[in-house]
Amino acid sequence: MTTNTYDVTADLTPEGRVEWDLMVAGEVYQDSHPEIERKRVEAKKLFRAYNVLDYDQEAERRAIMEQLFAAVGDDVFIEPNFRCEMGRNISIGSHAYINFDCVMLDNAPITIGDYVWIAPMVGLFATNHALDFEERKAGACQAKPIVIEDGVWLGGHVTVLGGVTIGRGSVIGAGSVVTHDIPAGVVAVGNPARVLRPITEADKTGFCERIAARDAAR
């Protein structure tokens, strides 16, 4: 795991720092504040540079991930066109794979564990605009953390909202909208996503045993 020790908030004004601290703490903040917008633009420049790199430019891709994210593990691969809000509030574990067109609105921390697989067009939306129109028009937002634990698989077009934790090894069916916590070791589907059933030994196909036998015979 490589941790980014650069203080992304060091150049904020005192007023901007107040809004940033409110944002990451889960309090109502001014999303339209120019200092917040400046940090958003910094992230955009990094992920746009990442998205145009060729697949064989591994060192360059890794360097941008280490600059953009709070922390990133080993053997992490992100397909284009990845987009995020701040970048610095995202932590990704090792052996994670993030497929095409993922969007992460990381105004609050988004934590992704080891061996997490994210299918195409998944959205992790930690932030939410105010319900009241006048507050919303003035830029009021509130963000809540998202935690995706080890071994989770998010199917295509899944949306995960702020304040949600998805437990270890669970699978979220394609098109689901996750609005509440999902326990470990289950299949959950729907809008809002509900637990369909546990993942059991009956779900094993014998694949690992077949591959092990094949490798042993070489």
Side-chain angles (χ1 to χ4, degrees):
M1 176 75 73
T2 300
T3 301
N4 191 339
T5 59
Y6 170 71
D7 183 4
V8 73
T9 65
D11 61 346
L12 292 177
T13 64
E15 183 181 276
R17 183 58 186 257
V18 167
E19 297 306 321
W20 179 279
D21 289 345
L22 289 169
M23 178 181 75
V24 297
E27 303 294 333
V28 178
Y29 69 98
Q30 185 186 2
D31 187 67
S32 57
H33 191 282
E35 295 289 286
I36 299 297
E37 179 59 25
R38 180 162 60 86
K39 290 303 171 183
R40 187 180 286 115
V41 170
E42 290 176 8
K44 286 178 180 179
K45 290 179 178 179
L46 287 171
F47 72 66
R48 286 180 66 184
Y50 179 93
N51 286 330
V52 299
L53 290 173
D54 287 334
Y55 284 96
D56 59 357
Q57 294 180 275
E58 295 180 10
E60 293 87 345
R61 292 164 71 94
R62 178 71 190 190
I64 291 177
M65 284 193 284
E66 291 181 0
Q67 187 178 357
L68 179 61
F69 301 136
V72 59
D74 300 325
D75 185 32
V76 172
F77 195 87
I78 303 174
E79 300 279 7
N81 287 307
F82 174 80
R83 287 152 290 176
C84 63
E85 189 87 10
M86 302 296 169
R88 184 49 58 87
N89 297 323
I90 298 170
S91 298
I92 304 175
S94 295
H95 314 293
Y97 177 70
I98 299 171
N99 215 321
F100 299 106
D101 294 309
C102 181
V103 177
M104 298 187 189
L105 304 186
D106 60 301
N107 302 80
I110 294 177
T111 304
I112 297 170
D114 297 337
Y115 291 98
V116 169
W117 293 353
I118 296 179
M121 298 183 180
V122 166
L124 307 181
F125 302 150
T127 195
N128 197 19
H129 295 283
L131 294 179
D132 178 81
F133 170 59
E134 294 301 327
E135 290 190 344
R136 186 165 65 249
K137 187 171 64 173
C141 282
Q142 188 172 17
K144 298 295 183 182
I146 292 173
V147 178
I148 312 296
E149 294 185 351
D150 295 350
V152 167
W153 173 23
L154 303 180
H157 292 265
V158 163
T159 299
V160 181
L161 301 186
V164 165
T165 294
I166 300 177
R168 186 179 189 274
S170 285
V171 175
I172 309 299
S176 298
V177 179
V178 188
T179 61
H180 299 286
D181 290 353
I182 300 296
V186 300
V187 176
V189 299
N191 180 7
R194 295 181 176 86
V195 174
L196 180 65
R197 63 177 180 83
I199 299 170
T200 70
E201 289 292 312
D203 291 302
K204 291 186 176 180
T205 66
F207 173 80
C208 290
E209 291 77 8
R210 179 176 69 80
I211 296 303
R214 183 192 67 188
D215 293 346
R218 287 178 177 172

